[in-house]
Amino acid sequence: MDLIEEFKSYLTTEKKSSANTVSSYVRDLTQFSRYLQVEGVTLLDADAEIIEGYDSWLNSKGKSAATITRSLASLKCFYGWLVNTGRKENNPAQSVKSMKVERKLPQILTNQEVELLLEQPQCVDHKGYRDHAMLELLYATGIRVSELISLDVEHVNLAAGFIRCVSKNKERIIPLYPGAVRALTDYVRNVRPQLAVEGEHALFVNMNGERMSRQGFWKIIKGYQEKAGIKTDITPHTLRHSFAAHLLANGADLRSIQEMLGHSDISSTQIYTQLVNQKLKDVYNKAHPKA
């Protein structure tokens, strides 16, 4: 087994990293390994100078600071593992400084754009009811797309109006607004039983009756964005960001939003304060007669 495959096995079995994290690390290491082959250096022989050269090479290829920083983090983790397993005396990536990443404010949808997006699925067939329930749930709770497709039927309490979201061995309870409860009720009671294959526990299934995939979901939402004519680019976190910013703008406190989003650090949630303040400033500058 080569080093990258062995590292992948370590991340999966011992570190219990998510599939997305493992995929990202392996992709970064594979690209670094190809760079080393051209340089005539092995993964074990790479030093800090080689890694700095690799960062410069990525920069020359037009890669963003965020991408280069993430790649360096992958290398630090990989070489830290080699040190721990006795195959390297020191971590050559540890002394390499990360590029400064400018933290951009997340892009959100306006209230009108959200309403427009939620109106797109037509509840005239199984797909329409399912898609309507998915979008309503995503905006009602602010959960990640990975969490959405991981939900099982047992995680939804329609009578009480909340979902249980389990992520990274942590559980959080998130309430649902009445419209989301109605959409979910229609789907769970009348549509899902006719779609899901026997023994499938997933809340949201594809048209083959199996658990919805992340890629499948984003093809759906991109289709509705195009259909609605929404110019704002919708990314995997757009509805999550919109959920948080709209709650904050309407008086919710940061701690409650932090808990619902599942942020371990309040600083991750505080970015929405900057976003809301910036929006208010833009509105003021556009609307105030003396601005």
Side-chain angles (χ1 to χ4, degrees):
M1 185 185 293
D2 67 23
L3 285 175
I4 295 178
E5 280 299 315
E6 194 176 338
F7 180 60
K8 179 181 178 181
S9 178
Y10 156 74
L11 291 173
T12 305
T13 58
E14 292 186 44
K15 205 172 180 187
K16 307 293 184 186
S17 300
S18 70
N20 286 341
T21 298
V22 173
S23 175
S24 176
Y25 278 21
V26 169
R27 184 173 60 250
D28 289 341
L29 284 169
T30 300
Q31 182 170 289
F32 179 58
S33 179
R34 288 174 184 149
Y35 170 84
L36 293 181
Q37 286 175 2
V38 175
E39 296 294 315
V41 180
T42 68
L43 280 167
L44 281 173
D45 292 333
D47 56 19
E49 186 177 351
I50 286 288
I51 294 173
E52 286 174 352
Y54 177 62
D55 279 5
S56 297
W57 178 79
L58 288 175
N59 189 42
S60 71
K61 293 292 182 182
K63 301 297 182 183
S64 68
T67 296
I68 297 172
T69 298
R70 190 206 65 223
S71 180
L72 180 58
S74 297
L75 295 183
K76 285 181 179 178
C77 183
F78 172 69
Y79 282 108
W81 169 72
L82 287 181
V83 170
N84 291 337
T85 54
R87 281 172 283 192
K88 195 88 173 163
E89 287 188 9
N90 54 64
N91 187 335
Q94 201 63 50
S95 61
V96 179
K97 293 183 179 180
S98 301
M99 293 185 70
K100 188 175 181 180
V101 180
E102 181 183 350
R103 192 173 188 188
K104 295 180 180 178
L105 293 177
Q107 200 168 32
I108 64 168
L109 300 177
T110 64
N111 291 328
Q112 292 78 14
E113 286 173 330
V114 169
E115 289 296 330
L116 189 58
L117 184 66
L118 297 182
E119 288 171 359
Q120 293 314 305
Q122 299 300 303
C123 295
V124 294
D125 55 18
H126 290 167
K127 184 179 185 302
Y129 276 102
R130 182 203 63 188
D131 294 355
H132 180 57
M134 281 197 300
L135 294 185
E136 287 281 5
L137 177 59
L138 205 58
Y139 181 60
T141 61
I143 60 175
R144 302 171 180 90
V145 174
S146 57
E147 294 170 336
L148 176 82
I149 62 177
S150 296
L151 286 174
D152 290 338
V153 176
E154 65 184 33
H155 294 144
V156 180
N157 189 323
L158 292 171
F162 68 80
I163 65 166
R164 285 191 302 112
C165 184
V166 182
S167 180
K168 298 179 181 178
N169 297 320
K170 293 181 181 178
E171 180 179 296
R172 62 191 195 274
I173 304 295
I174 312 172
L176 301 167
Y177 53 67
V181 173
R182 286 193 298 273
L184 270 172
T185 301
D186 288 340
Y187 167 70
V188 169
R189 292 182 181 172
N190 305 321
V191 175
R192 187 189 174 280
Q194 299 180 53
L195 277 181
V197 296
E198 187 175 351
E200 179 60 72
H201 298 288
L203 175 61
F204 292 112
V205 296
N206 57 31
M207 300 313 287
N208 293 322
E210 299 170 337
R211 187 179 295 274
M212 173 77 63
S213 69
R214 185 184 178 90
Q215 293 81 2
F217 174 81
W218 280 107
K219 282 181 183 177
I220 291 168
I221 203 170
K222 281 293 185 181
Y224 287 130
Q225 175 189 351
E226 186 176 337
K227 186 179 176 183
I230 296 172
K231 301 302 182 186
T232 304
D233 186 41
I234 296 182
T235 70
H237 268 8
T238 303
L239 281 176
R240 179 172 166 84
H241 291 321
S242 302
F243 160 86
H246 294 171
L247 278 180
L248 189 63
N250 284 287
D253 64 278
L254 269 182
R255 287 291 178 187
S256 296
I257 296 173
Q258 177 193 3
E259 187 174 338
M260 285 185 278
L261 291 176
H263 285 161
S264 56
D265 192 330
I266 191 69
S267 64
S268 299
T269 318
Q270 285 171 335
I271 192 168
Y272 297 110
T273 302
Q274 300 174 45
L275 183 63
V276 171
N277 288 343
Q278 183 61 51
K279 288 287 182 184
L280 289 174
K281 185 177 179 182
D282 290 344
V283 169
Y284 179 90
N285 288 336
K286 288 178 182 178
H288 198 288
K290 290 187 176 291

